PDB file of all heavy atoms in Angstrom:
ATOM      1  N   ASN A 267     138.194  15.229 -11.178  1.00 92.00           N
ATOM      2  CA  ASN A 267     137.974  15.287  -9.729  1.00 92.00           C
ATOM      3  C   ASN A 267     136.489  15.340  -9.392  1.00 92.00           C
ATOM      4  O   ASN A 267     136.018  14.669  -8.476  1.00 92.00           O
ATOM      5  CB  ASN A 267     138.660  16.515  -9.123  1.00 92.00           C
ATOM      6  CG  ASN A 267     140.141  16.286  -8.912  1.00 92.00           C
ATOM      7  OD1 ASN A 267     140.578  15.165  -8.735  1.00 92.00           O
ATOM      8  ND2 ASN A 267     140.910  17.354  -8.929  1.00 92.00           N
ATOM      9  N   ASN A 271     134.436  12.397  -7.457  1.00 96.00           N
ATOM     10  CA  ASN A 271     133.691  12.688  -6.223  1.00 96.00           C
ATOM     11  C   ASN A 271     132.236  12.249  -6.350  1.00 96.00           C
ATOM     12  O   ASN A 271     131.673  11.667  -5.427  1.00 96.00           O
ATOM     13  CB  ASN A 271     133.741  14.177  -5.894  1.00 96.00           C
ATOM     14  CG  ASN A 271     135.031  14.559  -5.201  1.00 96.00           C
ATOM     15  OD1 ASN A 271     135.780  13.690  -4.751  1.00 96.00           O
ATOM     16  ND2 ASN A 271     135.295  15.842  -5.115  1.00 96.00           N
ATOM     17  N   GLU A 274     131.953   8.573  -6.169  1.00 96.00           N
ATOM     18  CA  GLU A 274     132.167   8.104  -4.801  1.00 96.00           C
ATOM     19  C   GLU A 274     130.967   8.411  -3.896  1.00 96.00           C
ATOM     20  O   GLU A 274     130.792   7.785  -2.856  1.00 96.00           O
ATOM     21  CB  GLU A 274     133.453   8.712  -4.226  1.00 96.00           C
ATOM     22  CG  GLU A 274     134.686   8.080  -4.851  1.00 96.00           C
ATOM     23  CD  GLU A 274     135.979   8.834  -4.570  1.00 96.00           C
ATOM     24  OE1 GLU A 274     135.938   9.944  -4.020  1.00 96.00           O
ATOM     25  OE2 GLU A 274     137.046   8.304  -4.923  1.00 96.00           O
ATOM     26  N   LYS A 323     136.765  10.865   3.641  1.00 91.00           N
ATOM     27  CA  LYS A 323     137.042   9.515   3.114  1.00 91.00           C
ATOM     28  C   LYS A 323     138.370   8.963   3.608  1.00 91.00           C
ATOM     29  O   LYS A 323     139.087   8.295   2.866  1.00 91.00           O
ATOM     30  CB  LYS A 323     137.067   9.576   1.579  1.00 91.00           C
ATOM     31  CG  LYS A 323     135.804  10.121   0.980  1.00 91.00           C
ATOM     32  CD  LYS A 323     135.950  10.317  -0.509  1.00 91.00           C
ATOM     33  CE  LYS A 323     134.846  11.200  -1.039  1.00 91.00           C
ATOM     34  NZ  LYS A 323     135.160  11.700  -2.387  1.00 91.00           N
ATOM     35  N   GLY A 332     141.644  16.871  -3.742  1.00 88.00           N
ATOM     36  CA  GLY A 332     140.959  16.949  -5.040  1.00 88.00           C
ATOM     37  C   GLY A 332     140.318  18.306  -5.284  1.00 88.00           C
ATOM     38  O   GLY A 332     140.617  18.975  -6.281  1.00 88.00           O
TER      39      GLY A 332
HETATM   40 MG1   MG B   2     137.848  13.783  -4.395  1.00 93.90          MG
END
Side-chain angles (χ1 to χ4, degrees):
N267 280 333
N271 279 347
E274 287 167 352
K323 303 173 196 165

